[in-house]
Amino acid sequence: MSVGFIGLGVMGHSMAKHLIKAGYHLNVYNRTRSKAESLIAEGAKWMDTPQELASESDYVLTIVGYPEDVEKVYLGQSGLFEGSKPGQVFVDLTTSRPSLAIELAKQGKERGVIVLDAPVSGGDLGAREGRLTAMIGGEAIGLESVRPILDCFASNIFYHGSAGAGQHAKAANQIMIAGTMTGMTETLRYAKASGLDLNKVIDTLSGGAANNWSLSNYGPRILKEDYSPGFFVKHFIKDLGIALEAAQEYKIDLPGTKLALELYQELADAGLEDAGTQALIKLWW
């Protein structure tokens, strides 16, 4: 069985590596070939275009940056659909617009291809350790077919319904993270101002009702002054924008998410769009 993988960034590279370790014949494509070299050295086969990758793969997984990148990979010249064949399953792991997921599923169906939207959560650490959470939308039969592949890097797989449902679940996930990231940075600001031992504060809060993923994983990185991207600021801005765009369609107000987006945009404007989301603390430290 051959698997095609497109998008070898902070998370994608680790995910692709898990597939090689699991014994899959892996075809890879990335805009920058240098990011694929270590995988090629481990046995992956380079493909020159998404079209070529689709024509040589039984299953295709993609994780790229923005919705416009997804459109180009699937619908563009030499894109995946140009190399597709009936019976394939394409899985987009990118956090993207629900409306685009619906369109890709529709276009795939016309070609006999099942397209699932399956955005993931867990950051660089989750990808390296193979314990991401995947949120799935699309035809359930497609999920059952591709599940063994997803199991290689996702320890939690949740099916949410028809095309676009996975993207809506991921938007809900990012809304929650927006709240925990602003809460975590305000916690550290307050604790520092009051003269507390910050390591001890993190340990204390992690053992009680205030415990959350952002505090446990990003708090220690901040104290080590490690602002490397487990998840890019620029991508979080994109995700929050998608969530607020959908909220506007539903005529609901999300003031906390709006504030988080404003703060992260301020961070990006200060030149830190390629830093990790924990760099939010740099607005005050």
Side-chain angles (χ1 to χ4, degrees), residues 12-60:
H13 190 279
S14 295
M15 295 157 76
K17 193 169 184 177
H18 285 301
L19 296 176
I20 294 176
K21 288 182 178 179
Y24 288 103
H25 173 79
L26 192 67
N27 300 317
V28 295
Y29 171 79
N30 194 70
R31 283 186 302 187
T32 307
R33 176 168 174 153
S34 60
K35 292 184 178 180
E37 294 299 341
S38 63
L39 295 171
I40 294 170
E42 293 186 43
K45 184 178 180 182
W46 173 258
M47 296 289 163
D48 289 322
T49 64
Q51 179 181 359
E52 181 184 358
L53 181 140
S55 68
E56 296 290 329
S57 305
D58 299 307
Y59 296 86
V60 176

Side-chain angles (χ1 to χ4, degrees), residues 191-235:
K192 183 178 182 180
S194 60
L196 295 174
D197 181 317
L198 298 185
N199 282 295
K200 190 175 291 185
V201 167
I202 290 174
D203 289 342
T204 302
L205 272 57
S206 296
N211 184 39
N212 64 81
W213 198 94
S214 296
L215 177 68
S216 299
N217 288 272
Y218 286 133
R221 292 193 192 190
I222 289 172
L223 300 193
K224 294 176 183 176
E225 299 185 0
D226 175 7
Y227 301 107
S228 58
F231 193 70
F232 287 107
V233 166
K234 61 186 178 184
H235 289 163

Side-chain angles (χ1 to χ4, degrees), residues 49-227:
T49 64
Q51 179 181 359
E52 181 184 358
L53 181 140
S55 68
E56 296 290 329
S57 305
D58 299 307
Y59 296 86
V60 176
L61 280 64
T62 59
I63 181 165
V64 293
Y66 297 88
E68 51 266 34
D69 299 321
V70 175
E71 287 190 66
K72 185 175 181 180
V73 164
Y74 281 80
L75 302 170
Q77 185 177 2
S78 299
L80 288 173
F81 281 143
E82 291 193 1
S84 67
K85 47 189 180 287
Q88 288 178 304
V89 178
F90 292 172
V91 184
D92 185 30
L93 303 152
T94 314
T95 300
S96 183
R97 292 190 180 91
S99 58
L100 179 56
I102 293 169
E103 178 62 25
L104 294 180
K106 177 184 175 183
Q107 297 229 14
K109 191 171 185 177
E110 293 172 357
R111 295 167 171 81
V113 176
I114 294 175
V115 182
L116 302 176
D117 49 295
V120 292
S121 180
D124 61 331
L125 185 61
R128 285 198 303 271
E129 296 181 352
R131 52 179 182 83
L132 293 170
T133 293
M135 296 155 249
I136 316 295
E139 293 185 45
I141 191 172
L143 171 57
E144 293 314 307
S145 175
V146 79
R147 185 182 288 272
I149 296 171
L150 300 180
D151 281 337
C152 294
F153 52 77
S155 57
N156 295 293
I157 299 171
F158 295 98
Y159 178 68
H160 285 276
S162 60
Q167 295 296 351
H168 281 302
K170 182 60 186 290
N173 182 86
Q174 300 305 75
I175 289 166
M176 175 62 78
I177 290 176
T180 61
M181 290 299 290
T182 54
M184 183 264 293
T185 53
E186 289 194 0
T187 291
L188 293 180
R189 289 173 65 199
Y190 178 85
K192 183 178 182 180
S194 60
L196 295 174
D197 181 317
L198 298 185
N199 282 295
K200 190 175 291 185
V201 167
I202 290 174
D203 289 342
T204 302
L205 272 57
S206 296
N211 184 39
N212 64 81
W213 198 94
S214 296
L215 177 68
S216 299
N217 288 272
Y218 286 133
R221 292 193 192 190
I222 289 172
L223 300 193
K224 294 176 183 176
E225 299 185 0
D226 175 7
Y227 301 107

